[in-house]
Protein backbone atom coordinates (compact mmCIF):
# COMPACT_ATOMS: atom_id res chain seq x y z
CA UNK A 1 0.00 0.00 0.00
CA UNK A 2 2.69 2.49 0.99
CA UNK A 3 4.78 1.85 -2.11
CA UNK A 4 1.76 2.69 -4.24
CA UNK A 5 0.43 5.54 -2.05
CA UNK A 6 3.71 7.46 -1.81
CA UNK A 7 3.84 7.85 -5.59
CA UNK A 8 0.73 10.05 -5.44
CA UNK A 9 1.38 11.58 -1.99
CA UNK A 10 5.02 11.42 -0.83
CA UNK A 11 4.18 12.82 2.66
CA UNK A 12 1.33 10.41 3.32
CA UNK A 13 2.89 9.10 6.57
CA UNK A 14 4.18 12.46 7.86
CA UNK A 15 2.24 14.10 10.70
CA UNK A 16 1.66 17.86 10.95
CA UNK A 17 2.70 19.94 13.96
CA UNK A 18 -0.98 20.42 14.88
CA UNK A 19 -1.50 16.63 14.90
CA UNK A 20 1.50 16.15 17.18
CA UNK A 21 0.80 18.99 19.62
CA UNK A 22 -1.35 18.51 22.69
CA UNK A 23 -4.29 20.88 22.75
CA UNK A 24 -3.05 22.75 25.85
CA UNK A 25 0.36 23.29 24.21
CA UNK A 26 -1.00 25.01 21.11
CA UNK A 27 0.29 28.40 22.35
CA UNK A 28 3.91 27.23 22.62
CA UNK A 29 5.31 29.13 19.64
CA UNK A 30 8.58 30.91 18.95
CA UNK A 31 6.63 34.17 19.04
CA UNK A 32 5.38 33.49 22.57
CA UNK A 33 8.65 31.93 23.73
CA UNK A 34 11.39 33.40 21.52
CA UNK A 35 14.90 31.97 21.43
CA UNK A 36 16.34 35.50 21.26
CA UNK A 37 15.53 38.35 23.69
CA UNK A 38 16.90 41.84 23.05
CA UNK A 39 18.46 43.37 26.17
CA UNK A 40 20.82 46.34 26.37
CA UNK A 41 20.74 46.75 22.60
CA UNK A 42 22.04 43.19 22.10
CA UNK A 43 20.29 40.02 20.95
CA UNK A 44 20.67 37.56 23.84
CA UNK A 45 19.93 33.83 23.79
CA UNK A 46 16.97 32.67 25.87
CA UNK A 47 16.41 29.22 27.36
CA UNK A 48 13.42 27.79 29.25
CA UNK A 49 13.17 25.24 32.04
CA UNK A 50 10.23 23.87 34.01
CA UNK A 51 11.90 22.63 37.15
CA UNK A 52 10.64 24.36 40.35
CA UNK A 53 13.50 24.85 42.78
CA UNK A 54 16.17 24.81 40.09
CA UNK A 55 18.18 28.09 39.86
CA UNK A 56 17.29 28.26 36.14
CA UNK A 57 13.58 27.56 36.55
CA UNK A 58 11.61 29.69 34.09
CA UNK A 59 13.31 32.02 31.60
CA UNK A 60 17.09 32.46 31.55
CA UNK A 61 18.65 35.09 29.28
CA UNK A 62 22.41 35.08 28.65
CA UNK A 63 23.83 38.62 28.66
CA UNK A 64 27.40 39.45 27.57
CA UNK A 65 29.30 41.36 30.23
CA UNK A 66 29.84 44.45 28.04
CA UNK A 67 26.06 44.95 27.67
CA UNK A 68 25.10 44.46 31.35
CA UNK A 69 24.95 48.13 32.36
CA UNK A 70 22.62 48.91 29.47
CA UNK A 71 20.09 46.25 30.45
CA UNK A 72 16.91 48.01 31.55
CA UNK A 73 15.06 46.61 34.55
CA UNK A 74 11.78 47.74 32.98
CA UNK A 75 12.30 45.44 29.98
CA UNK A 76 13.13 42.47 32.21
CA UNK A 77 9.81 42.84 34.04
CA UNK A 78 7.89 41.84 30.89
CA UNK A 79 9.65 38.46 30.50
CA UNK A 80 8.38 37.05 27.17
CA UNK A 81 4.83 37.17 25.73
CA UNK A 82 4.10 33.55 26.65
CA UNK A 83 4.81 34.16 30.36
CA UNK A 84 3.18 37.57 30.71
CA UNK A 85 -0.39 36.41 31.47
CA UNK A 86 0.73 34.23 34.38
CA UNK A 87 2.81 37.06 35.83
CA UNK A 88 0.01 39.63 35.52
CA UNK A 89 -2.39 37.22 37.17
CA UNK A 90 0.04 36.61 40.05
CA UNK A 91 0.57 40.36 40.54
CA UNK A 92 -3.16 41.03 40.64
CA UNK A 93 -3.65 38.16 43.07
CA UNK A 94 -1.19 39.88 45.46
CA UNK A 95 -3.43 43.00 45.72
CA UNK A 96 -5.62 43.63 48.74
CA UNK A 97 -9.04 41.99 48.72
CA UNK A 98 -11.08 45.08 47.76
CA UNK A 99 -9.08 45.74 44.60
CA UNK A 100 -8.74 42.06 43.75
CA UNK A 101 -12.48 41.46 43.99
CA UNK A 102 -13.12 44.07 41.27
CA UNK A 103 -10.76 42.30 38.85
CA UNK A 104 -12.32 38.81 38.98
CA UNK A 105 -12.17 36.60 37.11
CA UNK A 106 -8.43 37.28 37.21
CA UNK A 107 -7.53 35.03 34.23
CA UNK A 108 -9.85 37.02 31.97
CA UNK A 109 -8.49 40.38 33.19
CA UNK A 110 -4.91 39.17 32.70
CA UNK A 111 -5.68 37.91 29.18
CA UNK A 112 -7.35 41.21 28.27
CA UNK A 113 -4.41 43.19 29.65
CA UNK A 114 -1.91 41.13 27.61
CA UNK A 115 -3.96 41.67 24.48
CA UNK A 116 -4.27 45.45 24.87
CA UNK A 117 -0.91 46.39 26.41
CA UNK A 118 2.05 47.21 24.19
CA UNK A 119 4.62 44.61 25.17
CA UNK A 120 7.78 46.13 26.64
CA UNK A 121 6.49 49.71 26.54
CA UNK A 122 7.57 51.20 29.88
CA UNK A 123 7.69 49.44 33.24
CA UNK A 124 5.20 46.57 33.55
CA UNK A 125 4.13 47.59 37.06
CA UNK A 126 3.33 51.14 35.89
CA UNK A 127 1.30 49.94 32.90
CA UNK A 128 -0.54 47.36 35.00
CA UNK A 129 -1.17 49.90 37.77
CA UNK A 130 -2.92 52.22 35.30
CA UNK A 131 -5.08 49.36 33.99
CA UNK A 132 -6.01 48.22 37.51
CA UNK A 133 -6.98 51.76 38.55
CA UNK A 134 -9.18 52.16 35.48
CA UNK A 135 -10.92 48.83 36.08
CA UNK A 136 -11.36 49.11 39.88
CA UNK A 137 -11.78 52.90 40.19
CA UNK A 138 -9.63 52.63 43.32
CA UNK A 139 -6.45 54.57 44.22
CA UNK A 140 -4.28 51.45 44.06
CA UNK A 141 -0.61 52.23 44.74
CA UNK A 142 2.57 50.68 43.37
CA UNK A 143 3.42 49.31 46.80
CA UNK A 144 0.11 47.38 46.84
CA UNK A 145 1.63 44.87 44.41
CA UNK A 146 3.53 42.48 46.67
CA UNK A 147 6.46 41.60 44.43
CA UNK A 148 8.01 39.44 47.12
CA UNK A 149 5.10 36.99 46.71
CA UNK A 150 5.95 36.26 43.07
CA UNK A 151 7.43 32.79 42.49
CA UNK A 152 11.03 32.93 41.19
CA UNK A 153 10.17 31.71 37.68
CA UNK A 154 8.15 34.91 37.09
CA UNK A 155 11.32 36.99 37.40
CA UNK A 156 13.76 37.00 34.47
CA UNK A 157 16.93 35.09 35.30
CA UNK A 158 20.03 36.80 33.87
CA UNK A 159 23.20 34.84 33.19
CA UNK A 160 26.21 37.13 32.74
CA UNK A 161 29.06 35.75 30.62
CA UNK A 162 32.50 37.02 29.57
CA UNK A 163 33.84 37.27 26.01
CA UNK A 164 34.59 33.52 26.02
CA UNK A 165 31.07 32.57 27.12
CA UNK A 166 32.13 31.66 30.66
CA UNK A 167 29.52 32.37 33.32
CA UNK A 168 30.47 35.17 35.71
CA UNK A 169 27.25 35.62 37.66
CA UNK A 170 23.57 34.77 37.62
CA UNK A 171 20.51 36.19 39.33
CA UNK A 172 17.01 37.57 38.99
CA UNK A 173 17.71 41.11 40.19
CA UNK A 174 19.28 43.47 37.65
CA UNK A 175 20.37 46.00 40.27
CA UNK A 176 22.24 43.37 42.30
CA UNK A 177 24.05 42.06 39.21
CA UNK A 178 25.04 45.60 38.22
CA UNK A 179 26.26 46.32 41.74
CA UNK A 180 28.50 43.23 41.62
CA UNK A 181 29.64 43.27 37.98
CA UNK A 182 28.92 46.84 36.84
CA UNK A 183 32.51 48.06 37.14
CA UNK A 184 33.85 45.13 35.11
CA UNK A 185 31.02 45.57 32.60
CA UNK A 186 32.00 49.21 32.17
CA UNK A 187 35.61 48.21 31.53
CA UNK A 188 34.54 45.58 28.98
CA UNK A 189 32.34 48.13 27.21
CA UNK A 190 35.11 50.74 27.11
CA UNK A 191 37.59 48.17 25.82
CA UNK A 192 35.12 47.31 23.06
CA UNK A 193 34.58 50.99 22.25
CA UNK A 194 38.34 51.59 22.14
CA UNK A 195 38.83 48.53 19.94
CA UNK A 196 36.32 49.87 17.46
CA UNK A 197 38.21 53.14 17.08
CA UNK A 198 41.71 51.70 17.28
CA UNK A 199 42.85 53.04 20.66
CA UNK A 200 43.26 51.52 24.12
CA UNK A 201 40.78 52.25 26.88
CA UNK A 202 42.01 54.34 29.79
CA UNK A 203 41.06 54.16 33.49
CA UNK A 204 38.86 56.76 35.12
CA UNK A 205 40.66 58.91 37.69
CA UNK A 206 38.91 61.08 40.29
CA UNK A 207 39.44 64.84 40.34
CA UNK A 208 42.60 65.78 42.20
CA UNK A 209 43.23 68.77 44.46
CA UNK A 210 42.90 72.36 43.31
CA UNK A 211 46.68 72.72 43.17
CA UNK A 212 46.75 70.20 40.31
CA UNK A 213 44.14 72.05 38.25
CA UNK A 214 46.77 73.79 36.14
CA UNK A 215 49.24 71.00 35.30
CA UNK A 216 49.75 68.59 32.38
CA UNK A 217 50.29 68.58 28.64
CA UNK A 218 48.15 67.41 25.72
CA UNK A 219 48.34 66.32 22.08
CA UNK A 220 45.98 65.48 19.25
CA UNK A 221 43.15 62.93 19.07
CA UNK A 222 41.74 59.93 17.23
CA UNK A 223 38.36 60.11 15.42
CA UNK A 224 35.28 57.97 14.83
CA UNK A 225 31.78 58.15 13.32
CA UNK A 226 29.33 59.59 15.84
CA UNK A 227 25.92 61.21 16.16
CA UNK A 228 24.59 64.31 17.83
CA UNK A 229 20.91 64.78 18.63
CA UNK A 230 19.48 68.26 18.66
CA UNK A 231 16.36 70.26 17.95
CA UNK A 232 16.35 68.96 14.39
CA UNK A 233 16.71 65.32 15.44
CA UNK A 234 19.69 63.02 15.19
CA UNK A 235 22.29 63.65 12.51
CA UNK A 236 25.39 61.77 11.47
CA UNK A 237 28.72 63.51 11.88
CA UNK A 238 31.76 63.26 9.67
CA UNK A 239 34.36 60.81 11.00
CA UNK A 240 36.95 63.60 11.20
CA UNK A 241 34.71 65.88 13.27
CA UNK A 242 34.51 64.22 16.66
CA UNK A 243 37.13 62.24 18.58
CA UNK A 244 36.09 59.52 20.99
CA UNK A 245 37.78 56.89 23.17
CA UNK A 246 41.36 58.02 22.55
CA UNK A 247 44.40 57.68 24.76
CA UNK A 248 45.76 61.24 24.64
CA UNK A 249 45.75 63.84 27.35
CA UNK A 250 44.24 67.24 26.47
CA UNK A 251 44.93 70.47 28.32
CA UNK A 252 42.79 72.55 25.92
CA UNK A 253 39.88 71.95 23.56
CA UNK A 254 42.20 70.92 20.71
CA UNK A 255 39.86 68.29 19.28
CA UNK A 256 36.68 68.38 17.21
CA UNK A 257 33.04 68.50 18.21
CA UNK A 258 32.14 66.12 21.02
CA UNK A 259 28.99 64.10 20.21
CA UNK A 260 26.22 63.21 22.63
CA UNK A 261 26.32 59.55 21.65
CA UNK A 262 28.10 57.12 19.37
CA UNK A 263 27.24 53.78 17.81
CA UNK A 264 29.48 50.79 18.43
CA UNK A 265 28.88 47.97 15.99
CA UNK A 266 29.67 44.39 16.96
CA UNK A 267 28.74 41.35 14.88
CA UNK A 268 25.88 43.15 13.17
CA UNK A 269 24.49 44.60 16.41
CA UNK A 270 24.64 48.23 17.55
CA UNK A 271 25.51 49.38 21.06
CA UNK A 272 25.08 53.00 22.14
CA UNK A 273 27.99 54.72 23.86
CA UNK A 274 28.11 58.08 25.60
CA UNK A 275 31.36 60.07 25.18
CA UNK A 276 32.64 62.23 28.02
CA UNK A 277 35.67 64.31 28.98
CA UNK A 278 37.25 62.58 31.96
CA UNK A 279 39.37 64.49 34.47
CA UNK A 280 42.87 63.01 34.69
CA UNK A 281 44.41 65.59 37.02
CA UNK A 282 46.67 67.41 34.56
CA UNK A 283 44.17 67.36 31.71
CA UNK A 284 41.29 65.33 30.28
CA UNK A 285 40.87 62.24 28.16
CA UNK A 286 37.90 61.31 26.00
CA UNK A 287 36.21 58.09 27.02
CA UNK A 288 33.00 56.31 26.07
CA UNK A 289 30.60 55.06 28.75
CA UNK A 290 27.73 52.62 28.73
CA UNK A 291 25.49 54.68 31.06
CA UNK A 292 24.40 58.25 30.21
CA UNK A 293 24.09 59.39 33.85
CA UNK A 294 27.66 58.43 34.67
CA UNK A 295 28.92 59.97 31.43
CA UNK A 296 27.17 63.28 32.24
CA UNK A 297 28.53 63.43 35.79
CA UNK A 298 32.11 62.72 34.71
CA UNK A 299 31.79 65.06 31.73
CA UNK A 300 31.02 68.03 33.99
CA UNK A 301 34.13 67.23 36.05
CA UNK A 302 36.19 67.02 32.87
CA UNK A 303 34.83 70.34 31.62
CA UNK A 304 35.67 71.91 34.97
CA UNK A 305 39.28 70.72 34.59
CA UNK A 306 39.57 72.21 31.09
CA UNK A 307 38.07 75.49 32.32
CA UNK A 308 40.51 75.62 35.23
CA UNK A 309 43.39 75.17 32.78
CA UNK A 310 41.99 77.93 30.58
CA UNK A 311 41.83 80.46 33.46
CA UNK A 312 45.05 79.56 35.30
CA UNK A 313 46.00 83.05 36.50
CA UNK A 314 42.57 84.18 37.76
CA UNK A 315 42.26 80.84 39.54
CA UNK A 316 45.62 81.19 41.28
CA UNK A 317 44.62 84.65 42.50
CA UNK A 318 41.26 83.31 43.69
CA UNK A 319 42.85 80.44 45.65
CA UNK A 320 44.93 82.93 47.64
CA UNK A 321 42.06 85.36 48.26
CA UNK A 322 39.02 83.36 49.33
CA UNK A 323 37.27 85.60 51.88
CA UNK A 324 37.49 84.45 55.53
CA UNK A 325 38.94 81.08 54.57
CA UNK A 326 40.89 80.59 57.80
CA UNK A 327 37.91 81.47 59.98
CA UNK A 328 35.72 79.04 58.01
CA UNK A 329 38.42 76.37 58.22
CA UNK A 330 38.25 76.49 62.04
CA UNK A 331 34.48 75.89 61.94
CA UNK A 332 34.99 73.17 59.30
CA UNK A 333 37.72 71.41 61.32
CA UNK A 334 35.41 68.67 62.59
CA UNK A 335 34.46 67.78 59.00
CA UNK A 336 37.69 68.10 57.03
CA UNK A 337 40.81 70.12 56.22
CA UNK A 338 41.19 73.70 55.01
CA UNK A 339 42.35 72.37 51.62
CA UNK A 340 39.20 70.26 51.24
CA UNK A 341 37.07 73.28 52.08
CA UNK A 342 38.97 75.42 49.56
CA UNK A 343 38.66 72.75 46.86
CA UNK A 344 34.87 72.72 47.19
CA UNK A 345 34.56 76.51 47.07
CA UNK A 346 36.70 76.61 43.92
CA UNK A 347 34.76 73.74 42.36
CA UNK A 348 31.34 75.31 42.87
CA UNK A 349 32.64 78.73 41.83
CA UNK A 350 33.83 77.29 38.50
CA UNK A 351 30.50 75.50 38.01
CA UNK A 352 28.44 78.60 38.72
CA UNK A 353 30.63 80.98 36.74
CA UNK A 354 31.04 78.83 33.63
CA UNK A 355 28.80 75.76 33.48
CA UNK A 356 25.15 76.59 32.94
CA UNK A 357 22.53 74.31 31.44
CA UNK A 358 23.97 74.49 27.88
CA UNK A 359 27.42 72.93 28.01
CA UNK A 360 30.02 73.63 25.29
CA UNK A 361 30.29 71.00 22.57
CA UNK A 362 33.14 72.33 20.41
CA UNK A 363 36.15 74.64 20.59
CA UNK A 364 34.19 77.78 19.64
CA UNK A 365 31.45 77.33 22.24
CA UNK A 366 34.06 76.40 24.84
CA UNK A 367 35.94 79.65 24.18
CA UNK A 368 32.69 81.64 24.46
CA UNK A 369 32.06 79.94 27.80
CA UNK A 370 35.53 80.94 29.02
CA UNK A 371 35.15 84.54 27.84
CA UNK A 372 31.71 84.96 29.43
CA UNK A 373 32.60 83.37 32.77
CA UNK A 374 36.04 84.86 33.40
CA UNK A 375 34.82 88.37 34.45
CA UNK A 376 32.36 86.99 37.04
CA UNK A 377 34.54 84.27 38.59
CA UNK A 378 35.68 86.35 41.60
CA UNK A 379 32.21 87.69 42.37
CA UNK A 380 30.73 84.19 42.19
CA UNK A 381 33.50 82.83 44.46
CA UNK A 382 32.77 85.53 47.05
CA UNK A 383 29.09 84.57 46.98
CA UNK A 384 29.91 80.86 47.41
CA UNK A 385 32.36 81.57 50.27
CA UNK A 386 29.86 83.86 52.01
CA UNK A 387 27.14 81.19 51.91
CA UNK A 388 29.54 78.45 53.02
CA UNK A 389 30.63 80.61 55.96
CA UNK A 390 27.02 81.29 56.92
CA UNK A 391 26.21 77.56 56.89
CA UNK A 392 29.25 76.75 59.05
CA UNK A 393 28.33 79.45 61.60
CA UNK A 394 24.78 78.12 61.96
CA UNK A 395 26.04 74.52 62.01
CA UNK A 396 28.41 75.30 64.89
CA UNK A 397 25.58 77.02 66.79
CA UNK A 398 23.27 74.03 66.30
CA UNK A 399 25.96 71.59 67.42
CA UNK A 400 26.69 73.58 70.59
CA UNK A 401 23.01 73.87 71.42
CA UNK A 402 22.45 70.13 70.88
CA UNK A 403 25.52 69.21 72.92
CA UNK A 404 24.46 71.36 75.88
CA UNK A 405 20.77 70.40 75.83
CA UNK A 406 19.40 67.46 77.78
CA UNK A 407 16.88 66.02 75.38
CA UNK A 408 14.96 62.73 75.31
CA UNK A 409 16.82 60.03 73.43
CA UNK A 410 14.47 60.03 70.40
CA UNK A 411 14.76 63.78 69.89
CA UNK A 412 18.53 63.71 70.41
CA UNK A 413 19.07 60.95 67.85
CA UNK A 414 16.68 62.56 65.36
CA UNK A 415 18.46 65.92 65.52
CA UNK A 416 21.91 64.34 65.26
CA UNK A 417 20.81 62.43 62.15
CA UNK A 418 19.36 65.63 60.66
CA UNK A 419 22.59 67.56 61.21
CA UNK A 420 24.64 64.78 59.62
CA UNK A 421 22.41 64.80 56.54
CA UNK A 422 22.49 68.58 56.22
CA UNK A 423 26.20 69.27 56.70
CA UNK A 424 28.60 66.54 55.67
CA UNK A 425 32.22 66.72 54.65
CA UNK A 426 31.30 67.74 51.08
CA UNK A 427 28.16 69.75 51.79
CA UNK A 428 29.22 72.64 49.50
CA UNK A 429 29.79 70.36 46.51
CA UNK A 430 27.07 67.75 47.14
CA UNK A 431 24.08 69.93 48.10
CA UNK A 432 22.44 71.55 45.03
CA UNK A 433 22.98 75.32 45.00
CA UNK A 434 19.23 75.97 45.15
CA UNK A 435 19.07 74.04 48.43
CA UNK A 436 22.43 75.17 49.82
CA UNK A 437 20.90 78.63 50.22
CA UNK A 438 18.25 77.17 52.56
CA UNK A 439 20.70 75.33 54.85
CA UNK A 440 21.14 78.28 57.26
CA UNK A 441 17.37 78.39 57.77
CA UNK A 442 17.18 74.63 58.39
CA UNK A 443 20.00 74.91 60.92
CA UNK A 444 18.30 77.84 62.68
CA UNK A 445 15.25 75.58 62.86
CA UNK A 446 17.28 73.01 64.81
CA UNK A 447 18.20 75.64 67.42
CA UNK A 448 14.60 76.87 67.72
CA UNK A 449 13.32 73.32 68.09
CA UNK A 450 15.71 72.64 70.98
CA UNK A 451 14.59 75.84 72.72
CA UNK A 452 10.92 74.95 72.28
CA UNK A 453 11.47 71.38 73.41
CA UNK A 454 12.48 72.62 76.84
CA UNK A 455 9.23 74.52 77.18
CA UNK A 456 6.90 71.87 75.74
CA UNK A 457 8.45 68.43 75.42
CA UNK A 458 5.11 66.74 74.75
CA UNK A 459 4.53 68.90 71.67
CA UNK A 460 7.93 67.88 70.27
CA UNK A 461 7.14 64.19 70.77
CA UNK A 462 3.81 64.61 68.97
CA UNK A 463 5.31 66.47 65.99
CA UNK A 464 8.15 63.94 65.67
CA UNK A 465 5.57 61.13 65.58
CA UNK A 466 3.85 62.89 62.65
CA UNK A 467 7.11 63.34 60.74
CA UNK A 468 8.75 59.97 61.35
CA UNK A 469 6.58 57.67 59.14
CA UNK A 470 7.20 59.84 56.08
CA UNK A 471 10.91 60.10 56.74
CA UNK A 472 11.28 56.37 57.35
CA UNK A 473 9.57 55.58 54.02
CA UNK A 474 11.99 57.92 52.26
CA UNK A 475 15.01 56.41 54.03
CA UNK A 476 13.94 52.85 53.14
CA UNK A 477 13.52 53.79 49.49
CA UNK A 478 16.95 55.48 49.40
CA UNK A 479 18.54 52.34 50.87
CA UNK A 480 16.80 50.17 48.26
CA UNK A 481 18.36 52.23 45.47
CA UNK A 482 21.86 51.34 46.77
CA UNK A 483 23.50 54.62 45.84
CA UNK A 484 21.60 55.27 42.59
CA UNK A 485 20.15 58.77 42.27
CA UNK A 486 16.44 59.49 41.90
CA UNK A 487 15.52 63.14 41.32
CA UNK A 488 12.04 62.69 42.73
CA UNK A 489 13.44 61.25 45.97
CA UNK A 490 15.91 64.13 46.15
CA UNK A 491 13.03 66.62 45.86
CA UNK A 492 11.10 64.75 48.55
CA UNK A 493 14.12 64.90 50.86
CA UNK A 494 14.04 68.73 50.77
CA UNK A 495 10.27 68.74 51.26
CA UNK A 496 10.92 66.80 54.47
CA UNK A 497 13.29 69.56 55.62
CA UNK A 498 10.63 72.16 54.89
CA UNK A 499 8.13 70.06 56.84
CA UNK A 500 10.53 70.10 59.81
CA UNK A 501 10.57 73.90 59.67
CA UNK A 502 6.77 73.94 59.52
CA UNK A 503 6.42 71.55 62.47
CA UNK A 504 9.19 72.75 64.79
CA UNK A 505 10.06 76.34 63.76
CA UNK A 506 7.05 77.91 62.05
CA UNK A 507 8.36 81.45 62.57
CA UNK A 508 11.12 80.80 60.00
CA UNK A 509 8.48 80.29 57.31
CA UNK A 510 8.64 78.00 54.28
CA UNK A 511 8.76 79.02 50.58
CA UNK A 512 5.59 77.03 49.90
CA UNK A 513 2.82 75.52 52.03
CA UNK A 514 3.82 72.14 53.49
CA UNK A 515 2.03 69.72 55.78
CA UNK A 516 1.98 66.02 56.56
CA UNK A 517 -1.10 65.55 54.34
CA UNK A 518 0.53 67.36 51.42
CA UNK A 519 3.63 65.19 51.67
CA UNK A 520 1.50 62.05 51.94
CA UNK A 521 -0.04 62.99 48.58
CA UNK A 522 3.38 63.72 47.06
CA UNK A 523 4.64 60.34 48.26
CA UNK A 524 1.59 58.57 46.81
CA UNK A 525 2.25 60.21 43.42
CA UNK A 526 5.93 59.32 43.65
CA UNK A 527 5.08 55.67 44.32
CA UNK A 528 2.39 55.58 41.65
Amino acid sequence: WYRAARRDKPDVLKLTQDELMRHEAAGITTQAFPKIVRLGGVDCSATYLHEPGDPKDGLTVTVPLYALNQVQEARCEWLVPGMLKEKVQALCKSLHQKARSRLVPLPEFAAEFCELARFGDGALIDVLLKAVRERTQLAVQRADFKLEQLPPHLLMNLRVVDEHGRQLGMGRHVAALKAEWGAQARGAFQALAALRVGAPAVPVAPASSVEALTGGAGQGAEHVDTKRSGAGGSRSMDSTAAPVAEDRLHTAWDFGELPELMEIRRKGQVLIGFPALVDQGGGVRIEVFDEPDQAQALHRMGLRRLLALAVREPLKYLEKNIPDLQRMAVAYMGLGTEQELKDQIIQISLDRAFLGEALPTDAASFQRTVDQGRPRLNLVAQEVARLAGQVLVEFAAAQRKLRDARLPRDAQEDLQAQLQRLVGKRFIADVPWSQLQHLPRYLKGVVLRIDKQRADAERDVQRLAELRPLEQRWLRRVQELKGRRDERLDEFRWLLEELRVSLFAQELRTPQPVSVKRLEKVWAQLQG
Side-chain angles (χ1 to χ4, degrees), residues 192-207:
L192 180 63
L195 182 65
R196 295 297 148 190
V197 297
V202 290
V204 177

Side-chain angles (χ1 to χ4, degrees), residues 119-372:
F119 186 87
D121 187 10
L124 172 61
I125 297 296
D126 293 339
V127 179
L128 180 58
L129 181 63
K130 182 180 179 182
V132 168
R133 285 174 175 173
E134 289 176 354
R135 175 64 65 90
T136 63
Q137 295 299 302
L138 295 173
V140 179
Q141 302 300 320
R142 215 183 139 88
D144 292 335
F145 291 109
K146 299 177 181 61
L147 301 179
E148 66 278 5
Q149 293 183 8
L150 289 179
H153 76 276
L154 293 181
L155 301 173
M156 184 182 290
N157 185 39
L158 297 181
R159 178 173 170 264
V160 183
V161 297
D162 63 13
E163 67 273 18
H164 304 295
R166 293 175 298 209
Q167 180 174 313
L168 299 174
M170 189 171 70
R172 299 180 189 270
H173 299 284
V174 179
L177 285 171
K178 287 183 179 181
E180 184 176 0
W181 297 102
Q184 292 186 40
R186 188 172 304 116
F189 181 91
Q190 289 183 309
L192 180 63
L195 182 65
R196 295 297 148 190
V197 297
V202 290
V204 177
S208 58
S209 68
V210 175
E211 293 176 358
L213 282 171
T214 56
Q219 300 176 4
E222 300 287 341
H223 303 94
V224 72
D225 287 335
T226 54
K227 290 185 177 180
R228 172 168 294 286
S229 57
S234 180
R235 62 182 178 88
S236 296
M237 298 180 64
D238 187 87
S239 61
T240 61
V244 286
E246 42 76 29
D247 193 29
R248 296 177 181 176
L249 192 70
H250 298 271
T251 58
W253 199 300
D254 53 2
F255 43 88
E257 185 176 2
L258 194 70
E260 290 180 4
L261 55 87
M262 64 174 286
E263 292 181 350
I264 303 170
R265 300 183 182 276
R266 177 180 168 87
K267 297 180 180 179
Q269 303 192 77
V270 179
L271 292 167
I272 302 299
F274 304 91
L277 300 178
V278 178
D279 182 6
Q280 298 288 311
V284 299
R285 284 192 172 95
I286 302 171
E287 297 185 28
V288 183
F289 293 88
D290 48 3
E291 296 174 287
D293 291 345
Q294 190 199 30
Q296 290 170 10
L298 289 170
H299 184 59
R300 288 189 72 90
M301 293 166 61
L303 278 172
R304 188 188 305 139
R305 175 68 64 184
L306 272 191
L307 288 164
L309 292 167
V311 293
R312 283 183 179 89
E313 295 308 316
L315 200 60
K316 287 180 181 178
Y317 173 83
L318 177 58
E319 286 186 55
K320 296 176 182 177
N321 293 276
I322 294 176
D324 294 329
L325 179 63
Q326 290 185 340
R327 181 179 60 81
M328 286 192 291
V330 173
Y332 184 75
M333 196 177 297
L335 300 171
T337 65
E338 179 179 322
Q339 185 62 49
E340 289 169 331
L341 177 64
K342 183 198 295 185
D343 286 354
Q344 291 183 70
I345 293 173
I346 295 289
Q347 173 184 328
I348 300 306
S349 299
L350 285 169
D351 284 355
R352 290 193 53 73
F354 296 98
L355 298 178
E357 292 184 6
L359 301 180
T361 58
D362 55 25
S365 58
F366 179 77
Q367 188 58 50
R368 284 196 301 272
T369 299
V370 171
D371 294 341
Q372 292 168 3

